[in-house]
Amino acid sequence: MSSLLKIENLHVSVGETEILKGVDLELRQGEVHALMGPNGSGKSTLAYALVGHPKYEITEGSITIDDKDIIELDPAQRARLGMFLAFQYPVTIPGVKVADFLRHAISNVRNPDRKEGEELMPMRDFRKELRSTMQELNIDAEFARRYLNDGFSGGEKKRMEILQLAMLKPKFAILDETDSGLDSDAVRVVSEGLKKLSGPHMGVLIITHHERLLEYNIPQYTHVMLAGRIVETGDAELAQELHNNGYAGIRERHPEAAAEEEAAKETTTV
Amino acid sequence: MATTEALNTKVPENENAEVSIGEYQYGFHDPTDEYSFMSQKGLNREIVAQISEMKGEPGWMRDFRLKSFEIFESKPMPTWGGDLSGMDFQDIYYYVKASDRQEKSWDDVPDDIRKTYDRLGIPEAEKKYLAGVKAQYESEVVYGSLREDLAAQGVLFTDTDSALKDHPELFKEYFGTIIPPSDNKFAALNSAVWSGGSFIYVPPGVNIDFPLQAYFRINTENMGQFERTLIIVDEGANVHYVEGCTAPTYSSDSLHSAVVEIAVKRNGRCRYTTIQNWSNNVYNLVTKRAMVYADGLMEWIDGNLGSKLTMKYPAIYLMEPGARGETLSIAFASEGQHQDAGAKMVHCAPNTSSRIVSKSISKDGGRSSYRGLAKVQKGATNCKSNVVCDALILDPESRSDTYPYIEVEEDDVAMEHEASVSKIAEEQLLYLMSRGLTEVEASAMIVTGFIEPLVKELPMEYAVEMNRLIELQMEGSVG
Ligand SMILES: Nc1ncnc2c1ncn2[C@@H]1O[C@H](COP(=O)(O)OP(=O)(O)O)[C@@H](O)[C@H]1O
Ligand SMILES: [Mg+2]
């Protein structure tokens, strides 16, 4: 049985401001969905709410995995249930080696009952797996010994996210603009990487502005977000259309949301 | 880093958070009814004289102590640094002797005391990677060893009291010359009531490949420990000295006030590593100073965990051209603790260089301050000095301050100073947690990473110990 991530009527606020205003979305293991929408429409907010960022408060609605409500779970517990986010802006953690961090992460995610201080995954097995995964993704083995994202280029950071995805093998992977800010070679590497990794065991939600990632990973569904709501859902062709023509058509078809978008812009620029 | 290659060992893959331990684990104490001597509480001329008499010291030392006591009394309490208002000098035992003899075999050390050191892992460490050990329990050293080949080369490693008896000339040439009693109130106090500590002499050209370690243990409530350490590294010689310290957890305070004097001769090298882990009822007020001569190198590596208040600013005086000094310090202040620590570099000669790297971590309302001085005297041209301090604050209740002082009397000097303060960003925690690390694991990992650049300077065993202590501090309180 494939697992189901179900988002119903999700409202999310940061501080006093409501950003998501009722989002519904179902992502099944094995499916690929694209999430598009203009800057500031709330795509990253949805991603953060899904992994449990403490700043993003859920005021209404639910998130379930196979009917289990996960809203009360912290990010670590959600990760153990198979949630993963490739961050739009991965943070730097000085002094923490990629390999040490990943070994820890894997030990927890693969053994959800593991308690603090208990055995980590055996070093040999871990090293072997890390090395071969890095090779597969064309990442220099030397990165394992570097400090997490410390001094990494934009492309290197994004590849590091893909490496973590490959090692952690989540049930649900959200990629937040993993293809942004990269040169075309790097975009290709990331797109091919994801294609290799996805399959029947992974549900993927791709947040993107570009077509390359979607060419390699053709979505069954495309969702368009505007002013904190999913205003349209279509297939791969919708993604293609948005890519060619931008969001003018969407705004025309959804004047109320477009007006809300305008209003939000004004309050933030004042 | 060009200056620290000599004793460097690589730190292994970080195995942190595999170890799980409770609270401060050295808080236990032993019975004291079998002790051979305990002075009455409080301090006056008679007690000072009594200490000297019990030790059978020469008249000059007795006079030195009494003179120092006068200086101590005449100096006001420092009003800067930490809060010393809770310090009651009359509520302290100044001299406590648990055992009458210093032993050369652990088997001969009284049971309770030996068990304590067993629990601290000292005999084990001695077998594995130390060239010599001194164990001080209360006021006196109860155990001492030195590898035979080093003794044969003329290396001296004894407690300071024995050095006064057995090597009076060498002793007198240096003792009290690097830190005179008049230096500050606590140096005066130590000079009046000092007992124990390490005395090390490394003859010219002798390179001691493994560390010499001293371990200081306070056991009695309201105890004052005043060890006095003197290290002389002769020309072209090299030594790494390590000290560790713990005490039981009591509800009332103890005082640890050491004086450490070091001379590093031409081309000599000395590395002095402290891993202090006092319980939270200890005032730790320590004066440490090294004088370095031509092309010599002094390194202080200072790990300050625990204690109620620590005030400690290891100093290096660069006396002749080519002398170098380096201080790396880590301070960890948790609930009810204030770490006021830093470094002092004084460039007295041309072509000298110094570097200070300080990292502090504050959590659960703890406070850490960096207080440092970089000074270049007139005539000390072409000097280089580099100061970097980073503070990590783990929660809004905690605090960190930086007090850098720079005094330069020459133009031709390269001075750099950088300071940064970071909070454990929510984003860092979220990132690690979103990969499955618990909040405790994630914070510990961030902190361990923060101090990694310093910890990797330590020999492996101490790096492991340091990481373990940091984890201990991190446990339980997060989340
Ligand atoms: N942490 C935050 N603090 C304040 N405002 C935020 C925060 N995160 C998002 N927002 C606001 O929410 C809206 C949606 O942002 P975001 O989810 O990042 O959009 P997208 O990813 O679609 O570009 C924007 O108006 C943005 O300014
Ligand atoms: Mg975004």
Side-chain angles (χ1 to χ4, degrees):
Chain A
M1 249 296 282
S2 59
S3 283
L4 178 68
L5 171 66
K6 197 167 175 181
I7 304 160
E8 279 178 300
N9 188 32
L10 194 70
H11 290 248
V12 175
S13 294
V14 177
E16 296 291 289
T17 319
E18 177 161 81
I19 296 168
L20 297 189
K21 300 165 182 165
V23 172
D24 295 273
L25 201 154
E26 287 188 13
L27 176 62
R28 204 167 263 291
Q29 245 182 323
E31 292 175 353
V32 177
H33 293 227
L35 177 63
M36 303 181 76
N39 281 333
S41 57
K43 304 181 298 294
S44 293
T45 299
L46 176 62
Y48 287 138
L50 288 173
V51 294
H53 193 310
K55 248 199 199 149
Y56 292 76
E57 193 198 347
I58 294 170
T59 54
E60 218 185 309
S62 69
I63 307 170
T64 57
I65 291 178
D66 299 332
D67 295 325
K68 180 181 162 61
D69 195 326
I70 64 164
I71 285 178
E72 294 303 320
L73 302 184
D74 76 17
Q77 293 165 315
R78 296 184 196 195
R80 290 175 189 211
L81 287 179
M83 190 78 91
F84 180 91
L85 169 62
F87 284 80
Q88 186 172 2
Y89 306 106
V91 297
T92 297
I93 307 192
V96 173
K97 292 197 188 102
V98 168
D100 293 334
F101 149 69
L102 256 179
R103 183 168 166 225
H104 227 105
I106 280 208
S107 303
N108 285 357
V109 167
R110 293 206 185 150
N111 176 13
D113 298 327
R114 180 180 175 273
K115 305 252 175 332
E116 275 156 27
E118 287 181 5
E119 293 272 308
L120 295 173
M121 178 179 176
M123 186 58 102
R124 285 178 60 114
D125 301 350
F126 171 74
R127 283 227 179 104
K128 214 170 129 205
E129 186 175 337
L130 180 62
R131 210 168 294 147
S132 72
T133 311
M134 289 177 94
Q135 226 159 33
E136 223 169 283
L137 295 171
N138 258 323
I139 299 174
D140 193 332
E142 176 250 350
F143 275 86
R145 265 168 282 133
R146 296 212 14 208
Y147 297 148
L148 191 53
N149 293 326
D150 198 358
F152 288 19
S153 72
E156 288 165 349
K157 284 184 188 171
K158 296 297 172 77
R159 261 198 255 182
M160 217 19 81
E161 297 293 291
I162 297 294
L163 173 65
Q164 293 174 39
L165 174 72
M167 294 291 287
L168 295 173
K169 302 187 174 64
K171 282 186 190 163
F172 302 104
I174 304 144
L175 285 84
D176 193 357
E177 302 206 19
T178 302
D179 51 359
S180 293
L182 304 186
D183 62 34
S184 60
D185 279 349
V187 171
R188 188 179 43 79
V189 170
V190 165
S191 306
E192 284 176 352
L194 179 62
K195 186 182 161 95
K196 271 188 212 160
L197 299 172
S198 60
H201 297 293
M202 203 187 285
V204 190
L205 181 65
I206 302 176
I207 300 172
T208 182
H209 292 299
H210 307 281
E211 59 185 341
R212 197 62 171 278
L213 193 50
L214 299 179
E215 274 172 20
Y216 280 84
N217 302 276
I218 297 169
Q220 286 100 32
Y221 301 95
T222 300
H223 310 278
V224 186
M225 192 171 261
L226 190 62
R229 284 189 186 90
I230 289 178
V231 293
E232 273 186 33
T233 294
D235 55 16
E237 266 172 44
L238 177 57
Q240 189 63 39
E241 184 212 313
L242 295 174
H243 188 257
N244 294 338
N245 306 327
Y247 294 101
I250 289 280
R251 289 193 178 97
E252 247 165 59
R253 293 200 286 276
H254 305 279
E256 277 174 34
E260 276 184 48
E261 185 191 22
E262 267 316 298
K265 261 186 209 150
E266 264 157 37
T267 52
T268 48
T269 47
V270 167
Chain B
M1 204 178 337
T3 52
T4 47
E5 66 278 12
L7 290 150
N8 232 345
T9 330
K10 269 267 166 282
V11 181
E13 292 284 341
N14 192 345
E15 300 277 336
N16 64 49
E18 281 202 357
V19 206
S20 173
I21 320 141
E23 310 234 296
Y24 184 72
Q25 62 172 355
Y26 307 112
F28 61 90
H29 64 93
D30 306 327
T32 57
D33 27 314
E34 304 268 307
Y35 277 16
S36 42
F37 179 79
M38 207 155 163
S39 69
Q40 71 194 77
K41 257 191 192 173
L43 189 59
N44 53 40
R45 271 185 73 87
E46 285 62 50
I47 288 182
V48 174
Q50 188 187 27
I51 292 173
S52 186
E53 194 180 318
M54 286 204 54
K55 289 175 175 289
E57 289 175 347
W60 75 266
M61 182 54 77
R62 181 175 181 276
D63 296 344
F64 174 88
R65 288 180 182 275
L66 290 170
K67 179 86 187 96
S68 300
F69 178 65
E70 277 168 30
I71 297 171
F72 165 72
E73 289 212 296
S74 70
K75 281 194 183 286
M77 279 293 243
T79 49
W80 51 275
D83 176 11
L84 291 165
S85 60
M87 183 67 250
D88 181 359
F89 289 110
Q90 295 310 329
D91 195 33
I92 285 186
Y93 295 105
Y94 285 83
Y95 183 64
V96 177
K97 195 172 177 181
S99 159
D100 276 325
R101 293 153 35 100
Q102 184 185 146
E103 306 296 348
K104 288 198 167 69
S105 158
W106 284 109
D107 292 337
D108 299 330
V109 173
D111 271 0
D112 282 336
I113 302 180
R114 198 195 62 237
K115 274 186 212 141
T116 294
Y117 285 101
D118 279 342
R119 285 171 85 168
L120 297 167
I122 308 301
E124 227 5 74
E126 179 180 13
K127 275 182 235 152
K128 280 196 234 150
Y129 57 85
L130 296 172
V133 170
K134 286 279 165 283
Q136 177 158 349
Y137 191 84
E138 313 287 33
S139 301
E140 296 286 354
V141 173
V142 294
Y143 171 82
S145 73
L146 176 65
R147 235 170 53 198
E148 271 171 27
D149 60 309
L150 295 172
Q153 290 179 75
V155 173
L156 302 176
F157 182 32
T158 72
D159 65 284
T160 306
D161 294 279
S162 302
L164 171 60
K165 283 198 190 77
D166 303 339
H167 312 282
E169 266 127 62
L170 191 58
F171 185 99
K172 214 170 164 181
E173 189 182 339
Y174 291 94
F175 183 89
T177 61
I178 297 165
I179 303 173
S182 57
D183 189 79
N184 67 72
K185 190 172 179 77
F186 291 95
L189 176 63
N190 175 284
S191 300
V193 299
W194 72 270
S195 182
S198 301
F199 177 89
I200 297 172
Y201 173 73
V202 192
V206 174
N207 174 26
I208 305 184
D209 47 358
F210 286 93
L212 300 177
Q213 163 128 24
Y215 203 95
F216 297 93
R217 173 76 180 170
I218 290 178
N219 181 55
T220 301
E221 186 162 15
N222 302 123
M223 168 72 195
Q225 194 174 53
F226 305 95
E227 88 270 10
R228 179 97 190 188
T229 288
L230 179 55
I231 300 175
I232 303 150
V233 181
D234 218 324
E235 297 194 356
N238 181 5
V239 67
H240 183 187
Y241 174 77
V242 185
E243 62 175 3
C245 4
T246 59
T249 306
Y250 288 120
S251 54
S252 63
D253 301 326
S254 298
L255 171 62
H256 174 253
S257 188
V259 165
V260 176
E261 299 178 285
I262 299 179
V264 181
K265 300 296 192 59
R266 168 184 293 272
N267 254 319
R269 282 172 160 237
C270 178
R271 174 178 277 206
Y272 190 117
T273 298
T274 302
I275 299 184
Q276 164 208 309
N277 185 24
W278 293 116
S279 52
N280 293 357
N281 50 300
V282 176
Y283 283 93
N284 183 46
L285 311 166
V286 171
T287 311
K288 292 182 163 170
R289 188 175 303 162
M291 288 193 176
V292 188
Y293 297 88
D295 301 315
L297 169 64
M298 175 69 209
E299 297 166 295
W300 296 107
I301 297 181
D302 208 19
N304 295 306
L305 294 95
S307 84
K308 177 175 191 166
L309 169 66
T310 287
M311 288 172 67
K312 179 168 29 153
Y313 324 95
I316 302 177
Y317 282 66
L318 303 161
M319 307 299 288
E320 291 180 349
R324 289 178 296 155
E326 184 156 337
T327 300
L328 309 179
S329 74
I330 299 172
F332 197 121
S334 194
E335 189 179 354
Q337 298 182 313
H338 183 184
Q339 304 283 4
D340 198 89
K344 213 162 134 178
M345 294 287 179
V346 184
H347 295 256
C348 310
N351 302 315
T352 49
S353 63
S354 67
R355 190 168 84 107
I356 299 171
V357 181
S358 155
K359 299 232 170 200
S360 74
I361 300 151
S362 318
K363 87 177 224 303
D364 294 338
R367 178 176 174 197
S368 59
S369 319
Y370 166 78
R371 194 179 298 277
L373 170 69
K375 183 171 177 168
V376 178
Q377 291 185 345
K378 190 110 198 88
T381 51
N382 193 30
C383 290
K384 274 195 219 119
S385 166
N386 177 260
V387 181
V388 180
C389 32
D390 296 325
L392 183 64
I393 303 175
L394 299 192
D395 49 60
E397 292 74 46
S398 303
R399 173 173 168 189
S400 167
D401 310 281
T402 305
Y403 307 98
Y405 300 95
I406 295 176
E407 294 172 24
V408 180
E409 295 172 16
E410 275 297 339
D411 302 328
D412 179 19
V413 165
M415 276 274 180
E416 292 163 8
H417 184 276
E418 293 165 41
S420 77
V421 176
S422 36
K423 312 212 154 136
I424 273 208
E426 247 185 336
E427 308 296 328
Q428 285 185 337
L429 267 182
L430 172 76
Y431 189 86
L432 294 182
M433 288 180 73
S434 78
R435 302 310 189 228
L437 273 65
T438 65
E439 188 170 0
V440 172
E441 290 170 336
S443 326
M445 196 168 262
I446 292 167
V447 169
T448 311
F450 175 74
I451 59 166
E452 214 265 352
L454 287 195
V455 170
K456 75 175 183 208
E457 297 291 316
L458 299 174
M460 192 181 79
E461 291 80 5
Y462 298 99
V464 170
E465 169 75 359
M466 193 70 200
N467 277 333
R468 206 176 57 88
L469 291 175
I470 295 278
E471 275 154 32
L472 217 69
Q473 297 275 325
M474 291 302 298
E475 249 168 50
S477 54
V478 190

